[in-house]
């Protein structure tokens, strides 16, 4: 089961997520209340994941299993 949320950065700053994720936009994977991984908008190494759908897919597929019926 998976849930997806979109929240304004100002609201995210009020959550535990802001303790680790300081820049937006980001995709953050949280499991059982812990950050598993996220894309860092301030890191050059994540830039390609924002700009290339294949790179993003490769990244997210490391953490999320998608089953299409």
């Amino acid at each position: 089961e998976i849930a997806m949320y979109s929240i304004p950065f100002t609201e995210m700053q009020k959550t535990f997520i802001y303790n680790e994720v300081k820049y937006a936009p980001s995709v953050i994977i949280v499991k059982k209340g812990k950050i598993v991984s996220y894309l860092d908008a301030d890191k050059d190494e994540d830039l390609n994941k924002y700009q290339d759908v294949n790179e993003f897919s490769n990244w997210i597929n490391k953490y999320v299993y998608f089953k299409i019926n």
Side-chain angles (χ1 to χ4, degrees):
E1 193 169 314
I2 188 170
M4 297 178 73
Y5 300 96
S6 173
I7 62 173
F9 185 71
T10 54
E11 292 300 313
M12 188 205 59
Q13 288 176 306
K14 300 173 188 175
T15 72
F16 75 95
I17 293 170
Y18 190 67
N19 294 336
E20 189 168 342
V21 181
K22 301 294 184 188
Y23 301 99
S26 187
V27 177
I28 305 162
I29 299 171
V30 178
K31 183 176 182 179
K32 296 181 181 180
K34 306 263 185 209
I35 295 174
V36 175
S37 186
Y38 66 95
L39 295 180
D40 192 334
D42 194 45
K43 299 241 173 155
D44 289 340
E45 62 200 47
D46 284 344
L47 181 62
N48 60 341
K49 296 172 188 89
Y50 284 100
Q51 296 179 343
D52 184 305
V53 69
N54 291 323
E55 290 292 328
F56 178 79
S57 295
N58 289 338
W59 174 77
I60 201 162
N61 284 325
K62 292 178 187 175
Y63 305 100
V64 180
Y65 173 72
F66 293 96
K67 180 179 178 185
I68 301 172
N69 292 330

